[in-house]
Amino acid sequence: MARHLSSLRVLMMSAAGDGTGYGGSGGGGRLTEMAAGMERCRGGGGCAGSPRTVRCWWRLAVILFSVCSLPVASGLVEGLYCGTEVCYDVLGVSREAAKLDIARAYRQLARKYHPDRFRPGEPDYEGETRESAHKKFLLIATAYETLKDEESRRDYDYMLDHPEEYYQHYYTYYRRQLTPKVDVRIVILVTICAISIFQFYSWHSSYNEAINYLVTVPKYRIQATEIAKQQGLLNRTKEKGKNRRSKEEIREQEEEVIREIIKTKIDIKGGYQKPNLSDILLCQIVLFPYYLTTYLRWYASWIYRFTICREEYGEEEKFYLIRRNMKMSPSQFDSLEDSSKQTFLEKQLWIKDNYEVHRKQQEEEMKVKMATDPRMKRYRRWMKNEGPGRLTFIDD
């Protein structure tokens, strides 16, 4: 109805603005003349012979006919919810029905029109075919899916009350249809768990790879063998009868003993270190409040001790400043030899100026080494004369 009134208003305004119709600058206002003609008709002035009055009545008739022929705005549109059917009428309930009543009506109708229960020819299915019963079953299921959810039911009631906002109804309906049904928080949790599992498996594989390599190194293998002999793990006893093992079984047991000793005695740092559950992503996220609180407490203590109270740095604090100046991670710094760390302490590299001097000296030494190293000379000569993938044209 709102569309009817707006269309009528537009047509009347267009008719009034027409120079040859109801009003124009040259005619002095056709609507005024039409009103005067109608007054003459009432006073017996004889309007039947007035051609302008007849033409005005003809135009009004055309306008009214056009307005009546406009389509009626309705919220019952094919493709939305139950289509041209009202979902409440499909289930046979009122708009004030409770969820329990809606569920009860749905179960009754679904039991009746279910394809497995449909029996053509029975009195309850008079005039129904299998195809029509199947369509009714789908319509009943759609009506129940629309009304069982509070949010969907609220949007559907709003569509029934405001049929003129059909573009908004399309947006609301398809937004709900295309929105993922799974909670985003569950998706994020599953993703983090998958990443954590892959992370732990990757670290464990790298650690086993490092252990397998160390078992083959003679230095560590000899030390592990001596420790195993001292602990009495490699003493071969004479075995007789059915309990006697083959040489291959004895060798496998010895390899396993040596491997376990290397795992216990060697502390691997860096990317091949032993995996720890607290280092995976999931534990890091869970323990983030604890880590943040610990860091803030440590930072406040650092400011109070070394900035306000002017305390002297201890060995641990000096190593921390040296590592920060070198921009190294804790695992990288821990993998350095103890002699190198003592050299850093002797040069007082925790002081920024001393570290800058040390860094420049290292760069100069590296340049001299690269200039005097025969291998580097051969490499530069090869790059200058040939280089990787160089193309030449030989003129015979």
Side-chain angles (χ1 to χ4, degrees), residues 139-314:
L139 184 62
I140 292 167
T142 303
Y144 178 67
E145 291 293 328
T146 302
L147 300 180
K148 75 174 183 178
D149 183 63
E150 292 293 337
E151 186 177 357
S152 176
R153 182 178 180 180
R154 183 171 59 253
D155 294 339
Y156 182 71
D157 291 342
Y158 183 82
M159 185 188 74
L160 295 179
D161 297 334
H162 303 82
E164 69 279 359
E165 301 179 10
Y166 45 88
Y167 292 116
Q168 179 67 24
H169 303 326
Y170 271 106
Y171 170 75
T172 304
Y173 176 78
Y174 285 105
R175 183 190 62 180
R176 177 173 290 103
Q177 293 294 324
L178 299 178
T179 301
K181 305 300 182 183
V182 182
D183 193 350
V184 178
R185 293 170 294 183
I186 298 178
V187 176
I188 295 175
L189 179 61
V190 172
T191 303
I192 293 175
C193 292
I195 294 174
S196 302
I197 293 173
F198 175 78
Q199 190 179 20
F200 183 80
Y201 176 78
S202 177
W203 285 353
H204 195 271
S205 300
S206 300
Y207 176 72
N208 288 333
E209 182 180 351
I211 295 298
N212 293 334
Y213 169 74
L214 293 175
V215 170
T216 60
V217 177
K219 174 183 176 181
Y220 302 113
R221 187 178 182 85
I222 293 173
Q223 294 179 2
T225 303
E226 293 295 331
I227 294 174
K229 288 181 179 179
Q230 293 175 5
Q231 296 178 356
L233 300 176
L234 295 181
N235 295 331
R236 298 184 180 181
T237 58
K238 295 183 178 180
E239 299 176 353
K240 299 180 180 179
K242 297 181 179 179
N243 296 328
R244 185 177 182 180
R245 295 175 298 173
S246 62
K247 294 182 178 180
E248 289 77 10
E249 293 176 350
I250 296 174
R251 190 180 299 110
E252 289 179 359
Q253 184 180 5
E254 292 178 353
E255 290 291 332
E256 187 65 26
V257 170
I258 294 173
R259 181 184 177 88
E260 291 298 326
I261 292 176
I262 290 177
K263 279 185 178 182
T264 306
K265 297 298 181 180
I266 293 183
D267 186 15
I268 303 176
K269 302 292 184 181
Y272 292 93
Q273 64 183 358
K274 188 175 182 179
N276 192 359
L277 288 176
S278 61
D279 295 333
I280 64 176
L281 179 60
L282 180 61
C283 294
Q284 291 287 325
I285 294 176
V286 173
L287 298 176
F288 176 75
Y290 169 75
Y291 292 146
L292 180 61
T293 305
T294 304
Y295 172 76
L296 292 177
R297 186 173 63 251
W298 170 85
Y299 186 75
S301 175
W302 182 281
I303 296 296
Y304 176 76
R305 292 173 56 192
F306 304 111
T307 304
I308 299 176
C309 298
R310 302 289 182 178
E311 293 184 10
E312 294 292 336
Y313 293 125

Side-chain angles (χ1 to χ4, degrees), residues 40-170:
R40 288 196 300 271
C41 290
R42 294 192 188 97
C47 60
S50 175
R52 291 182 178 179
T53 304
V54 174
R55 185 169 57 184
C56 293
W57 282 111
W58 179 80
R59 287 181 178 273
L60 285 175
V62 172
I63 291 173
L64 293 175
F65 177 77
S66 300
V67 171
C68 293
S69 62
L70 289 174
V72 179
S74 175
L76 303 178
V77 183
E78 285 291 347
L80 296 184
Y81 303 104
C82 298
T84 57
E85 299 286 339
V86 179
C87 294
Y88 293 101
D89 296 341
V90 172
L91 296 179
V93 296
S94 63
R95 290 187 59 173
E96 293 77 17
K99 293 181 64 174
L100 184 61
D101 298 333
I102 293 174
R104 186 182 298 110
Y106 164 72
R107 286 194 295 268
Q108 292 177 358
L109 293 174
R111 192 181 301 112
K112 177 180 179 181
Y113 289 99
H114 195 278
D116 296 338
R117 293 177 174 269
F118 179 73
R119 298 292 184 270
E122 293 186 0
D124 293 339
Y125 304 104
E126 185 177 356
E128 294 285 351
T129 61
R130 187 172 295 277
E131 295 180 358
S132 62
H134 180 67
K135 291 180 180 180
K136 281 188 177 182
F137 178 77
L138 295 179
L139 184 62
I140 292 167
T142 303
Y144 178 67
E145 291 293 328
T146 302
L147 300 180
K148 75 174 183 178
D149 183 63
E150 292 293 337
E151 186 177 357
S152 176
R153 182 178 180 180
R154 183 171 59 253
D155 294 339
Y156 182 71
D157 291 342
Y158 183 82
M159 185 188 74
L160 295 179
D161 297 334
H162 303 82
E164 69 279 359
E165 301 179 10
Y166 45 88
Y167 292 116
Q168 179 67 24
H169 303 326
Y170 271 106

Side-chain angles (χ1 to χ4, degrees), residues 308-321:
I308 299 176
C309 298
R310 302 289 182 178
E311 293 184 10
E312 294 292 336
Y313 293 125
E315 183 175 310
E316 184 179 354
E317 288 77 15
K318 291 178 181 179
F319 281 141
Y320 168 73
L321 293 175

